[in-house]
Amino acid sequence: MKIFLVGYMACGKSRKGRVMAKEQGRRFIDLDAYIIDREKCSIAEIFTRVGEQGFRKLETRYLQEVCELYEDFILSTGGGTPCFNGNMEYMNRQGHTIFLNTDISILTARLIRGKQKRPLVSGLKDEEIHDFVRKHLEQRLPYYKMAKEEVKNNLFEGQSGGEF
């Protein structure tokens, strides 16, 4: 079975995907890491080289490549993966999609801590990130809501119990 984790950047897709894959004895694939490996450069470098539109084409190509190569996996997508090139519809046809719905305050805190790794927010001041996330999430939410399953994902790192 193919399982796709979708949601906004920094919502915990990779972290949760690794845990799920270990618990279920499945292959885990992080789409961004896969792209970095195949392109031999960072996501930020790809954005600089070919822009967001060029990156989205590569992302779609590698999403489809993963689906052709493997039958059973848990894949964490990039935050924008479901929103471009019909990718959400494609993933829904290929397997089971899960939207990790995470509170904006948690996303903002995580993005501020790791913004140098995120091309879409790396140039923003810390105090600008919350508004950016709110507006950006509003645009992406209709795609995320197309997932077959939605899970609240509102714990900070280090907390235990309750929802993941």
Side-chain angles (χ1 to χ4, degrees):
M1 176 182 225
K2 298 172 183 175
I3 298 174
F4 303 88
L5 301 179
V6 302
Y8 200 71
M9 59 181 155
C11 76
K13 298 177 299 287
S14 295
R15 186 176 188 181
K16 183 61 183 170
R18 281 187 195 89
V19 170
M20 287 174 63
K22 185 175 180 181
E23 289 172 350
Q24 298 175 21
R26 297 172 164 235
R27 174 188 311 272
F28 171 71
I29 301 168
D30 179 297
L31 186 58
D32 282 348
Y34 188 87
I35 293 168
I36 290 166
D37 182 62
R38 299 284 280 130
E39 290 294 310
K40 306 295 186 231
C41 64
S42 72
I43 300 297
E45 290 169 324
I46 296 169
F47 263 72
T48 299
R49 190 179 72 221
V50 298
E52 184 176 7
Q53 188 175 15
F55 172 75
R56 297 302 174 192
K57 287 180 184 177
L58 286 171
E59 184 178 54
T60 297
R61 182 172 95 208
Y62 290 126
L63 171 66
Q64 293 172 357
E65 181 176 289
V66 166
C67 289
E68 290 169 12
L69 288 173
Y70 305 106
E71 287 296 319
D72 185 40
F73 58 76
I74 295 173
L75 182 132
S76 68
T77 65
T81 306
C83 310
F84 296 90
N85 304 321
N87 289 340
M88 193 66 203
E89 295 90 343
Y90 176 79
M91 290 184 287
N92 276 330
R93 287 192 309 272
Q94 289 290 314
H96 188 73
T97 51
I98 302 170
F99 168 34
L100 300 184
N101 189 350
T102 307
D103 187 83
I104 290 175
S105 62
I106 294 172
L107 296 173
T108 300
R110 290 177 182 170
L111 288 169
I112 288 170
R113 283 197 314 267
K115 74 179 185 179
Q116 70 282 356
K117 298 181 292 185
R118 311 279 184 172
L120 292 177
V121 297
S122 62
L124 298 177
K125 296 176 183 163
D126 289 357
E127 58 273 12
E128 297 172 321
I129 291 179
H130 185 273
D131 281 343
F132 174 86
V133 170
R134 185 181 49 75
K135 291 173 187 169
H136 207 218
L137 185 57
E138 191 175 291
Q139 295 168 352
R140 290 182 170 188
L141 209 50
Y143 297 98
Y144 299 155
K145 292 280 191 178
M146 292 169 63
K148 294 178 181 179
E149 183 179 349
E150 181 176 336
V151 176
K152 287 285 185 194
N153 187 36
N154 282 333
L155 291 180
F156 281 106
E157 289 84 0
Q159 290 181 317
S160 59
E163 300 159 338
F164 63 97

Short mmCIF file of all heavy atoms in Angstrom, two decimals, residues 11-44:
data_model
loop_
_atom_site.label_atom_id
_atom_site.label_comp_id
_atom_site.label_asym_id
_atom_site.label_seq_id
_atom_site.Cartn_x
_atom_site.Cartn_y
_atom_site.Cartn_z
N CYS A 11 4.89 20.71 9.41
CA CYS A 11 3.78 20.13 10.19
C CYS A 11 4.17 18.78 10.80
O CYS A 11 3.44 18.26 11.64
CB CYS A 11 2.51 19.99 9.35
SG CYS A 11 2.54 18.63 8.16
N GLY A 12 5.28 18.21 10.39
CA GLY A 12 5.73 16.95 10.98
C GLY A 12 5.59 15.74 10.08
O GLY A 12 5.62 14.61 10.56
N LYS A 13 5.45 15.94 8.78
CA LYS A 13 5.25 14.83 7.85
C LYS A 13 6.42 13.84 7.88
O LYS A 13 6.21 12.63 7.95
CB LYS A 13 5.03 15.34 6.42
CG LYS A 13 3.80 16.21 6.24
CD LYS A 13 3.68 16.75 4.84
CE LYS A 13 4.81 17.63 4.40
NZ LYS A 13 4.86 18.97 4.99
N SER A 14 7.63 14.36 7.83
CA SER A 14 8.81 13.48 7.80
C SER A 14 8.97 12.75 9.12
O SER A 14 9.21 11.53 9.15
CB SER A 14 10.08 14.27 7.49
OG SER A 14 10.00 14.81 6.19
N ARG A 15 8.82 13.47 10.19
CA ARG A 15 8.96 12.86 11.52
C ARG A 15 7.90 11.77 11.73
O ARG A 15 8.21 10.66 12.15
CB ARG A 15 8.84 13.95 12.57
CG ARG A 15 9.10 13.47 13.96
CD ARG A 15 9.07 14.63 14.92
NE ARG A 15 9.51 14.19 16.22
CZ ARG A 15 9.57 14.96 17.26
NH1 ARG A 15 9.24 16.22 17.17
NH2 ARG A 15 9.97 14.48 18.41
N LYS A 16 6.66 12.10 11.46
CA LYS A 16 5.58 11.13 11.63
C LYS A 16 5.73 9.97 10.66
O LYS A 16 5.49 8.82 11.02
CB LYS A 16 4.21 11.82 11.44
CG LYS A 16 3.04 10.89 11.66
CD LYS A 16 3.02 10.34 13.07
CE LYS A 16 1.89 9.36 13.26
NZ LYS A 16 2.01 8.65 14.54
N GLY A 17 6.16 10.26 9.44
CA GLY A 17 6.35 9.21 8.44
C GLY A 17 7.39 8.19 8.87
O GLY A 17 7.19 6.98 8.71
N ARG A 18 8.49 8.67 9.44
CA ARG A 18 9.53 7.75 9.92
C ARG A 18 8.99 6.85 11.03
O ARG A 18 9.25 5.65 11.06
CB ARG A 18 10.74 8.53 10.44
CG ARG A 18 11.63 9.04 9.37
CD ARG A 18 12.92 9.67 9.94
NE ARG A 18 13.57 10.44 8.93
CZ ARG A 18 13.34 11.74 8.68
NH1 ARG A 18 12.49 12.41 9.42
NH2 ARG A 18 13.98 12.36 7.72
N VAL A 19 8.24 7.44 11.95
CA VAL A 19 7.67 6.67 13.06
C VAL A 19 6.69 5.62 12.53
O VAL A 19 6.75 4.45 12.90
CB VAL A 19 6.98 7.61 14.08
CG1 VAL A 19 6.17 6.83 15.10
CG2 VAL A 19 8.01 8.49 14.77
N MET A 20 5.79 6.05 11.66
CA MET A 20 4.80 5.12 11.10
C MET A 20 5.49 3.97 10.35
O MET A 20 5.11 2.81 10.49
CB MET A 20 3.85 5.85 10.14
CG MET A 20 2.85 6.75 10.80
SD MET A 20 1.89 7.72 9.58
CE MET A 20 1.04 6.42 8.67
N ALA A 21 6.48 4.31 9.54
CA ALA A 21 7.18 3.29 8.74
C ALA A 21 7.88 2.29 9.64
O ALA A 21 7.82 1.07 9.40
CB ALA A 21 8.18 3.96 7.81
N LYS A 22 8.50 2.76 10.69
CA LYS A 22 9.19 1.86 11.63
C LYS A 22 8.17 0.95 12.32
O LYS A 22 8.37 -0.26 12.41
CB LYS A 22 9.98 2.66 12.65
CG LYS A 22 10.82 1.81 13.57
CD LYS A 22 11.68 2.65 14.48
CE LYS A 22 12.50 1.73 15.37
NZ LYS A 22 13.35 2.47 16.29
N GLU A 23 7.08 1.55 12.80
CA GLU A 23 6.05 0.76 13.49
C GLU A 23 5.43 -0.29 12.58
O GLU A 23 5.08 -1.38 13.02
CB GLU A 23 4.93 1.68 14.00
CG GLU A 23 5.33 2.55 15.17
CD GLU A 23 4.27 3.58 15.53
OE1 GLU A 23 3.29 3.77 14.76
OE2 GLU A 23 4.42 4.22 16.60
N GLN A 24 5.27 0.03 11.30
CA GLN A 24 4.58 -0.86 10.36
C GLN A 24 5.54 -1.70 9.52
O GLN A 24 5.10 -2.51 8.71
CB GLN A 24 3.68 -0.04 9.44
CG GLN A 24 2.59 0.70 10.18
CD GLN A 24 1.78 1.61 9.27
OE1 GLN A 24 1.75 1.45 8.05
NE2 GLN A 24 1.11 2.59 9.86
N GLY A 25 6.83 -1.51 9.69
CA GLY A 25 7.81 -2.27 8.92
C GLY A 25 7.75 -1.94 7.43
O GLY A 25 7.89 -2.83 6.59
N ARG A 26 7.55 -0.69 7.10
CA ARG A 26 7.45 -0.25 5.71
C ARG A 26 8.62 0.64 5.33
O ARG A 26 9.29 1.19 6.18
CB ARG A 26 6.16 0.57 5.50
CG ARG A 26 4.94 -0.20 5.74
CD ARG A 26 3.72 0.71 5.72
NE ARG A 26 2.60 -0.18 5.58
CZ ARG A 26 1.69 -0.08 4.65
NH1 ARG A 26 1.72 0.91 3.80
NH2 ARG A 26 0.74 -0.96 4.56
N ARG A 27 8.78 0.80 4.05
CA ARG A 27 9.78 1.73 3.50
C ARG A 27 9.30 3.15 3.75
O ARG A 27 8.14 3.46 3.51
CB ARG A 27 9.93 1.48 2.01
CG ARG A 27 10.84 2.47 1.29
CD ARG A 27 10.79 2.30 -0.23
NE ARG A 27 10.94 0.93 -0.64
CZ ARG A 27 12.11 0.31 -0.89
NH1 ARG A 27 13.23 1.00 -0.76
NH2 ARG A 27 12.14 -0.94 -1.26
N PHE A 28 10.20 4.02 4.21
CA PHE A 28 9.88 5.44 4.35
C PHE A 28 10.64 6.22 3.29
O PHE A 28 11.84 6.00 3.08
CB PHE A 28 10.27 5.98 5.73
CG PHE A 28 10.15 7.47 5.82
CD1 PHE A 28 8.90 8.07 5.83
CD2 PHE A 28 11.27 8.28 5.82
CE1 PHE A 28 8.78 9.47 5.88
CE2 PHE A 28 11.16 9.66 5.87
CZ PHE A 28 9.91 10.26 5.89
N ILE A 29 9.95 7.13 2.63
CA ILE A 29 10.57 8.00 1.63
C ILE A 29 10.15 9.43 1.92
O ILE A 29 8.96 9.73 2.04
CB ILE A 29 10.13 7.61 0.19
CG1 ILE A 29 10.50 6.16 -0.11
CG2 ILE A 29 10.76 8.58 -0.83
CD1 ILE A 29 9.87 5.61 -1.37
N ASP A 30 11.13 10.30 2.04
CA ASP A 30 10.89 11.74 2.16
C ASP A 30 11.09 12.30 0.76
O ASP A 30 12.20 12.21 0.21
CB ASP A 30 11.90 12.34 3.15
CG ASP A 30 11.73 13.83 3.31
OD1 ASP A 30 11.92 14.56 2.31
OD2 ASP A 30 11.42 14.26 4.43
N LEU A 31 10.05 12.85 0.16
CA LEU A 31 10.13 13.30 -1.23
C LEU A 31 11.21 14.37 -1.41
O LEU A 31 11.95 14.33 -2.39
CB LEU A 31 8.77 13.79 -1.73
CG LEU A 31 8.71 14.16 -3.21
CD1 LEU A 31 9.10 12.98 -4.10
CD2 LEU A 31 7.31 14.66 -3.57
N ASP A 32 11.31 15.31 -0.49
CA ASP A 32 12.36 16.34 -0.61
C ASP A 32 13.75 15.70 -0.59
O ASP A 32 14.62 16.06 -1.40
CB ASP A 32 12.24 17.39 0.49
CG ASP A 32 11.13 18.40 0.23
OD1 ASP A 32 10.59 18.45 -0.90
OD2 ASP A 32 10.81 19.16 1.16
N ALA A 33 13.99 14.76 0.31
CA ALA A 33 15.28 14.07 0.38
C ALA A 33 15.54 13.28 -0.91
O ALA A 33 16.67 13.24 -1.40
CB ALA A 33 15.34 13.15 1.60
N TYR A 34 14.50 12.67 -1.44
CA TYR A 34 14.61 11.93 -2.70
C TYR A 34 15.03 12.87 -3.83
O TYR A 34 15.92 12.55 -4.63
CB TYR A 34 13.27 11.26 -3.01
CG TYR A 34 13.31 10.31 -4.18
CD1 TYR A 34 13.66 8.97 -4.01
CD2 TYR A 34 12.97 10.74 -5.46
CE1 TYR A 34 13.68 8.09 -5.08
CE2 TYR A 34 12.99 9.87 -6.54
CZ TYR A 34 13.34 8.55 -6.35
OH TYR A 34 13.36 7.68 -7.42
N ILE A 35 14.41 14.04 -3.89
CA ILE A 35 14.74 15.03 -4.92
C ILE A 35 16.17 15.50 -4.77
O ILE A 35 16.93 15.59 -5.75
CB ILE A 35 13.75 16.23 -4.86
CG1 ILE A 35 12.35 15.77 -5.26
CG2 ILE A 35 14.23 17.37 -5.76
CD1 ILE A 35 11.24 16.78 -4.96
N ILE A 36 16.58 15.78 -3.53
CA ILE A 36 17.96 16.22 -3.26
C ILE A 36 18.95 15.16 -3.73
O ILE A 36 19.96 15.46 -4.38
CB ILE A 36 18.15 16.52 -1.76
CG1 ILE A 36 17.38 17.80 -1.39
CG2 ILE A 36 19.62 16.64 -1.39
CD1 ILE A 36 17.20 18.02 0.11
N ASP A 37 18.66 13.90 -3.45
CA ASP A 37 19.53 12.80 -3.86
C ASP A 37 19.61 12.69 -5.38
O ASP A 37 20.69 12.55 -5.94
CB ASP A 37 19.03 11.49 -3.25
CG ASP A 37 19.93 10.33 -3.60
OD1 ASP A 37 21.12 10.36 -3.21
OD2 ASP A 37 19.45 9.39 -4.28
N ARG A 38 18.49 12.79 -6.04
CA ARG A 38 18.45 12.64 -7.50
C ARG A 38 19.07 13.84 -8.22
O ARG A 38 19.71 13.68 -9.24
CB ARG A 38 17.02 12.42 -7.98
CG ARG A 38 16.37 11.16 -7.42
CD ARG A 38 16.85 9.88 -8.06
NE ARG A 38 16.16 9.73 -9.32
CZ ARG A 38 16.76 9.47 -10.48
NH1 ARG A 38 18.05 9.31 -10.53
NH2 ARG A 38 16.06 9.37 -11.58
N GLU A 39 18.87 15.04 -7.67
CA GLU A 39 19.36 16.26 -8.31
C GLU A 39 20.77 16.64 -7.85
O GLU A 39 21.39 17.54 -8.43
CB GLU A 39 18.41 17.43 -8.06
CG GLU A 39 17.08 17.29 -8.78
CD GLU A 39 17.23 17.36 -10.29
OE1 GLU A 39 17.88 18.31 -10.81
OE2 GLU A 39 16.69 16.47 -10.98
N LYS A 40 21.25 16.02 -6.78
CA LYS A 40 22.59 16.28 -6.24
C LYS A 40 22.78 17.74 -5.82
O LYS A 40 23.86 18.31 -5.95
CB LYS A 40 23.68 15.90 -7.26
CG LYS A 40 23.59 14.48 -7.78
CD LYS A 40 23.83 13.47 -6.70
CE LYS A 40 23.87 12.06 -7.28
NZ LYS A 40 23.00 11.13 -6.59
N CYS A 41 21.69 18.34 -5.30
CA CYS A 41 21.79 19.68 -4.72
C CYS A 41 20.57 19.92 -3.83
O CYS A 41 19.60 19.17 -3.87
CB CYS A 41 21.91 20.76 -5.79
SG CYS A 41 20.50 20.92 -6.88
N SER A 42 20.63 20.96 -3.01
CA SER A 42 19.58 21.23 -2.04
C SER A 42 18.33 21.78 -2.72
O SER A 42 18.37 22.26 -3.86
CB SER A 42 20.07 22.23 -0.99
OG SER A 42 20.18 23.51 -1.56
N ILE A 43 17.21 21.74 -1.99
CA ILE A 43 15.96 22.32 -2.48
C ILE A 43 16.17 23.83 -2.73
O ILE A 43 15.73 24.36 -3.76
CB ILE A 43 14.80 22.08 -1.49
CG1 ILE A 43 14.55 20.59 -1.27
CG2 ILE A 43 13.53 22.79 -1.95
CD1 ILE A 43 14.12 19.79 -2.49
N ALA A 44 16.85 24.49 -1.81
CA ALA A 44 17.11 25.93 -1.98
C ALA A 44 17.90 26.20 -3.26
O ALA A 44 17.60 27.14 -3.99
CB ALA A 44 17.85 26.47 -0.76
#
